[in-house]
Amino acid sequence: MSIFRPRIGTGRAGWWILSALPLVAAPPVPSPGDAAAFRRTVAPFLARHCVGCHNEKLRSGEVDLAALRDAQRAFHEREVWEQALRKIRTGEMPPPGSPRPPEASVAAVTRWIEELMERQDRAVKPDPGRVTARRLNRTEYNNTVRDLLGVDLDPAADFPADDSGYGFDNIGDVLSLSPVLMEKYLTAAERIVRAAIDLPRKVQPTMERYQSPRTRRTKDTVGGRMLVYSPRGAAQVRHRFAFDGEYEMRIQVGDRRKDGSPPIRYVLTLNGKPVAEHDVEPGDYKNRIFDYRFTVTRGEHTVGGFFPPEALALAEQARAPLTPEQKPPEDRRMVYTDFLEVRGPFRVDEPASRRRLLVCGLTPAEQNRACAQRILGPLARRAFRRPLRPGELDRLLGIYALAREEGEPFDQAIGYAVQAVLVSPHFLFRIEQDPDPGQPDAIRLLHDHELATRLSYFLWSAPPDAALDRAADRGELRDLAELERQALRMLRDPKAQALVENFAGQWLHLRNLESVKPDPERFPDFDEGLRVAMQRETELFFAHVAREDRPILDFLDAPYTFVNERLAEHYGIAGVAGDEFRRVDLDGVQRSGLLTHAGILTISSYPTRTSPVIRGKWILENILGAPPPPPPPDVPELKEEEVGNTGSLRQQMEKHRANPVCASCHARMDTIGFGLENYDAIGRWRTHDGNFPVEAGGVLGGKSFGTPAELKGLLRQDASEFARCLTEKMLTYALGRGVTRSDRATVQAIVKDLERNDYKFSTLVLGIVRSMPFRMRGGDGRKA
């Protein structure tokens, strides 16, 4: 079989070159009124505040604004004005230390630049862009196999990591297909088909142990095969079961109570539901082992156990004095979960996927070509995400027939044809074929099934379901009302959790939380339970905004969040007990919005301390859409041993910025990042940095702030900038390509719709779904 490779074309660098080319024969000529406004407002502003650095001699930032002496010349410098507007909005220009222009002058100049760019955008020929044939990334591959065959195996776990572009791992230009990956696809197809249709066989039971971190102060609590341990003694873990069948959960409970104490209950759970209860009798430092047999389907399930609150209260009453070897807080507990083991399978059942796939052929009388066609036709159609073309089903039936001629049983012959489906380029890639390659500049509406596929992978990272597929069959998705109805239905579906995990996880860099390792000596409270709670908070928060159609501005300063007892304890929020997450109201002073989530604050810190640089860069990239340039080489390091000892971090950073090489970038990032200095490297509120009081003030957009709440207030004042940033991020994710000049009008239209509709989350999603870049495709003559 030959390896299918998408034509990558000019690559990522090439796209930037192409996108910079003029898309119209000539820019609009300025009217007399435009020229007068330029001479009256813009030219004096440039002369007073800009050309001192940006002139022919100095050319700071490689920009010569002194050359823009008249409106005609100025109208041709689109890239210069875009850069100037971004720097004025973020307060980077004029640079710190220079006199600040009057607010009225800044507003007049920015308004002139915005109107100029809007006129230029209207003059640009509409172009929806063109997306390279996109290979399914690992998440999409797993989800597609799951929906197609009902097999939850995580088959992509052995694939090479997907490359990312523009911040996301679903970008067509970077999802290439290497020979190594093709080999992985062939192996995965065999494994998937074997798991889907093989009859039960004798399997040797195995055992896997998950140990509970007995204290949060040891390095063992970070990483490894650990239980997630809660403050109230609950312990649980996600375990992947290889077969449908019967397994055993074994839990050992430690008990330090003295004889004579009352027995307490311990509850075993499967997928969060109680399945068995046991009494733990008291005894000096004795362990109790409890077993439970259960039947599960293949895939991931949550197993664990917990002490009810009343049981813990009894244990606290029977507290024994601490021994010198004991360390708080877990070792102070009278009872605790020591370890959990998953054993089995002791019985393997017929997989549900077999009954799902083999809709016929279970008896010898049915095992014929007609039954094979009945199985393979619908399967291939769902796998290719479109109606089959002439000859495609015949080729699959040919594979089936050849296997039967070789003496293979019916189900195995079907399996060979299914393997062919799983390695087909029409399964592995999302291909949008051009019906008329001879028209390279043609723009066309996507076919209904192409549009259904774009929509489902945007919102679900998975193929279309039956309802969306039927709408595509009937040709209804070209009707905007029906397309929007389907999008809203899909947003309410549990599968929309994929938008949380894959879009929000990458936009917010939340995926990095899995690999951070705060110094256990400096932050002994950080453990696996806290890590999981941090991530769950932000995921539940994003899901709430999406599901309840809240304003996207809630991301900036919503006075609520979602916590369990472990995270509430970390935040200092009283009245939250148990492992279940629940919504809590916030005071808006210490906590509100994404910027104060412990997970965000942890991933934007170093293992040993906070980093105003990383936090400022995170805000610039993900909230304001104005990322700083990469740092120059050979930048001197901050002297870590002095932080918090000879001076606060702010004082040390001021020394660091005294180096002109450092100052050019840090002046922009640090003044924003210091606004979050009230939070330590794992997101706890603090008032002192070592021996020195925290100074959380800074500057954003030329405006000063003194607290995290004031920083968020400034971000919300310029809500359109955040709306533009989030729109560009989500549009990039939805299209699978970078946003280019031809998309500017689309972005601006969505931002204006958001402003008119209270910034509702659905307005953002529907604006993308109804946009020309999402519903249309350009010809091969111009790639976006």
Side-chain angles (χ1 to χ4, degrees):
M1 191 184 85
S2 63
I3 295 176
F4 178 86
R5 289 178 177 273
R7 183 163 63 84
I8 300 300
T10 55
R12 289 179 62 190
W15 302 137
W16 285 108
I17 295 171
L18 289 170
S19 67
L21 294 176
L23 300 181
V24 290
V29 177
S31 67
D34 295 329
F38 177 83
R39 289 191 297 268
R40 180 176 62 253
T41 302
V42 182
F45 185 94
L46 297 179
R48 187 175 302 113
H49 301 288
C50 306
V51 297
C53 297
H54 300 285
N55 53 55
E56 185 177 3
K57 182 178 180 180
L58 296 179
R59 292 187 61 84
S60 297
E62 298 301 316
V63 173
D64 177 13
L65 293 177
L68 306 183
R69 301 184 183 281
D70 57 59
Q72 182 63 51
R73 172 72 183 272
F75 265 54
H76 289 266
E77 298 295 336
R78 171 63 181 251
E79 300 300 326
V80 172
W81 292 122
E82 281 190 341
Q83 185 178 0
L85 183 61
R86 185 171 60 250
K87 291 181 180 295
I88 291 172
R89 280 172 169 165
T90 60
E92 184 180 358
M93 291 295 159
S98 301
R100 302 300 305 176
E103 289 296 325
S105 298
V106 172
V109 170
T110 55
R111 185 166 54 250
W112 185 89
I113 298 174
E114 289 170 347
E115 291 173 353
L116 166 67
M117 292 193 296
E118 286 183 10
R119 285 194 297 273
Q120 291 181 339
D121 289 341
R122 287 194 296 269
V124 172
K125 179 181 178 181
D127 182 5
R130 181 180 175 84
V131 181
T132 303
R134 268 185 287 176
R135 173 176 61 79
L136 300 180
N137 64 24
R138 293 192 299 176
T139 298
E140 294 167 342
Y141 181 92
N142 281 339
N143 292 347
T144 305
V145 168
R146 176 204 65 201
D147 288 3
L148 182 65
L149 296 172
V151 175
D152 185 9
L153 283 178
D154 192 16
D158 294 333
F159 296 175
D162 294 314
D163 290 329
S164 293
Y166 309 103
F168 299 101
D169 63 4
N170 65 343
I171 303 300
D173 288 347
V174 301
L175 289 171
S176 58
L177 178 57
S178 67
V180 171
L181 181 55
M182 194 65 228
E183 290 293 332
K184 296 288 187 181
Y185 281 143
L186 293 169
T187 302
E190 294 177 6
R191 178 182 170 217
I192 292 165
V193 170
R194 187 167 57 248
I197 67 174
D198 275 5
L199 288 168
R201 55 190 172 90
K202 186 175 179 59
V203 177
Q204 187 68 28
T206 61
M207 183 273 287
E208 191 158 8
R209 173 179 287 195
Y210 298 89
Q211 191 72 38
S212 177
R214 296 282 296 279
T215 173
R216 296 180 194 153
R217 294 185 180 276
T218 65
K219 294 182 180 179
D220 294 339
T221 61
V222 179
R225 307 200 69 78
M226 289 287 174
L227 290 164
V228 176
Y229 200 64
S230 81
R232 303 194 68 82
Q236 64 181 17
V237 69
R238 292 286 288 174
H239 180 81
R240 180 169 292 278
F241 293 84
F243 303 94
D244 293 15
E246 185 181 53
Y247 294 81
E248 180 179 84
M249 177 187 356
R250 168 168 289 187
I251 285 185
Q252 177 168 293
V253 176
D255 189 352
R256 290 197 174 90
R257 296 174 300 151
K258 295 293 185 181
D259 286 332
S261 302
I264 64 174
R265 279 187 302 138
Y266 188 77
V267 182
L268 304 183
T269 61
L270 175 63
N271 293 324
K273 297 180 180 179
V275 292
E277 293 186 4
H278 299 273
D279 285 336
V280 181
E281 299 292 340
D284 284 339
Y285 291 82
K286 291 181 180 179
N287 296 324
R288 303 289 188 271
I289 291 180
F290 303 117
D291 295 330
Y292 174 70
R293 288 283 182 105
F294 57 96
T295 299
V296 295
T297 57
R298 180 175 46 214
E300 280 197 343
H301 297 272
T302 302
V303 292
F306 69 93
F307 299 97
E310 63 272 17
L312 282 178
L314 287 173
E316 290 296 324
Q317 291 174 15
R319 179 187 297 278
L322 290 177
T323 66
E325 294 77 19
Q326 290 177 311
K327 298 177 181 179
E330 265 76 25
D331 280 354
R332 281 184 74 91
R333 295 205 174 278
M334 305 306 298
V335 287
Y336 56 89
T337 304
D338 190 27
F339 67 76
L340 180 150
E341 292 176 351
V342 178
R343 302 179 173 206
F346 299 103
R347 185 193 74 244
V348 178
D349 298 334
E350 179 183 3
S353 55
R354 176 182 172 87
R355 298 187 294 275
R356 173 175 174 172
L357 175 61
L358 300 179
V359 296
C360 59
L362 299 178
T363 63
E366 293 180 314
Q367 294 175 355
N368 51 42
R369 182 183 175 90
C371 175
Q373 181 171 339
R374 183 181 168 193
I375 294 171
L376 295 173
L379 175 78
R381 187 194 185 287
R382 294 196 307 273
F384 297 168
R385 302 171 286 275
R386 56 167 174 75
L388 296 183
R389 296 171 185 146
E392 288 181 326
L393 179 56
D394 290 337
R395 287 191 286 273
L396 295 175
L397 291 172
I399 295 172
Y400 156 81
L402 182 60
R404 291 291 275 166
E405 291 172 6
E406 294 292 327
E408 294 286 353
F410 178 81
D411 58 353
Q412 296 301 316
I414 291 292
Y416 287 122
V418 175
Q419 286 185 49
V421 169
L422 295 178
V423 296
S424 167
H426 298 288
F427 171 77
L428 297 174
F429 287 82
R430 293 165 51 188
I431 300 172
E432 299 167 351
Q433 291 189 331
D434 293 317
D436 189 1
Q439 297 293 325
D441 293 324
I443 294 175
R444 69 173 179 88
L445 279 168
L446 294 177
H447 301 310
D448 283 80
H449 288 95
E450 294 171 336
L451 191 54
T453 297
R454 280 199 181 190
L455 183 62
S456 64
Y457 280 96
F458 167 32
L459 298 179
W460 289 350
S461 299
D465 65 353
L468 186 60
D469 203 34
R470 285 193 298 269
D473 285 343
R474 294 191 292 261
E476 295 174 348
L477 296 184
R478 296 196 179 196
D479 176 33
L480 280 179
E482 176 61 17
L483 182 64
E484 292 178 7
R485 190 188 72 79
Q486 290 287 347
L488 291 175
R489 174 186 70 84
M490 295 169 71
L491 269 179
R492 293 189 293 267
D493 191 279
K495 285 186 181 180
Q497 178 66 19
L499 192 66
V500 179
E501 296 172 358
N502 302 319
F503 170 70
Q506 295 181 86
W507 164 45
L508 301 173
H509 304 176
L510 199 61
R511 289 181 175 181
N512 296 346
L513 195 57
E514 296 177 3
S515 58
V516 298
K517 294 183 179 180
D519 186 340
E521 297 298 325
R522 298 195 183 197
F523 305 104
D525 287 344
F526 186 88
D527 60 11
E528 193 64 20
L530 184 57
R531 183 200 306 271
V532 171
M534 286 177 175
Q535 181 159 340
R536 189 68 179 142
E537 174 193 23
T538 305
E539 289 177 346
L540 287 171
F541 181 78
F542 185 97
H544 174 81
V545 172
R547 184 180 59 253
E548 302 298 324
D549 200 16
R550 297 288 305 165
I552 62 171
L553 300 187
D554 277 13
F555 291 133
L556 297 179
D557 63 353
Y560 61 85
T561 192
F562 296 83
V563 298
N564 64 354
E565 182 179 2
R566 181 74 181 87
L567 193 58
E569 178 186 85
H570 188 66
Y571 286 165
I573 298 175
V576 178
D579 299 320
E580 294 299 318
F581 278 78
R582 76 291 315 266
R583 174 174 165 161
V584 296
D585 293 329
L586 304 172
D587 60 12
V589 177
Q590 289 190 12
R591 305 278 170 188
S592 65
L594 285 170
L595 296 185
T596 63
H597 282 199
I600 301 297
L601 294 162
T602 300
I603 62 174
S604 57
S605 298
Y606 290 121
T608 57
R609 63 167 175 84
T610 61
S611 173
V613 178
I614 298 177
R615 289 177 175 177
K617 181 174 181 287
W618 190 94
I619 292 173
L620 287 170
E621 286 182 343
N622 302 296
I623 302 298
L624 296 174
D634 303 322
V635 175
E637 295 290 336
L638 193 69
K639 295 180 179 180
E640 296 286 340
E641 66 277 5
E642 296 182 1
V643 175
N645 295 316
T646 62
S648 67
L649 180 58
R650 177 183 288 272
Q651 292 167 340
Q652 299 302 318
M653 292 297 295
E654 288 173 352
K655 293 180 182 178
H656 191 64
R657 288 199 303 273
N659 185 328
V661 177
C662 305
S664 59
C665 295
H666 283 278
R668 181 182 183 191
M669 295 181 290
D670 297 2
T671 54
I672 299 175
F674 271 116
L676 301 177
E677 269 298 282
N678 277 121
Y679 306 95
D680 71 8
I682 58 172
R684 291 175 304 195
W685 180 265
R686 63 178 183 174
T687 58
H688 282 73
D689 173 17
N691 300 320
F692 300 88
V694 166
E695 300 175 64
V699 177
L700 175 64
K703 299 177 181 178
S704 299
F705 59 86
T707 66
E710 291 176 4
L711 166 61
K712 288 175 287 183
L714 291 179
L715 290 171
R716 183 160 182 135
Q717 281 181 19
D718 202 359
S720 62
E721 285 305 295
F722 172 63
R724 180 176 291 103
C725 173
L726 184 53
T727 299
E728 290 181 354
K729 297 282 187 182
M730 191 172 285
L731 185 64
T732 297
Y733 177 82
L735 297 177
R737 64 168 175 82
V739 173
T740 68
R741 178 180 174 183
S742 60
D743 301 313
R744 290 166 181 156
T746 295
V747 172
Q748 186 62 23
I750 294 174
V751 170
K752 288 185 176 180
D753 277 348
L754 283 166
E755 293 170 351
R756 287 190 292 266
N757 291 283
D758 195 28
Y759 292 94
K760 291 296 184 66
F761 187 87
S762 63
T763 301
L764 171 59
V765 172
L766 294 180
I768 290 172
V769 168
R770 73 166 70 96
S771 70
M772 183 174 74
F774 190 85
R775 295 186 303 113
M776 297 183 180
R777 178 177 175 84
D780 198 27
R782 180 186 300 145
K783 295 189 175 80

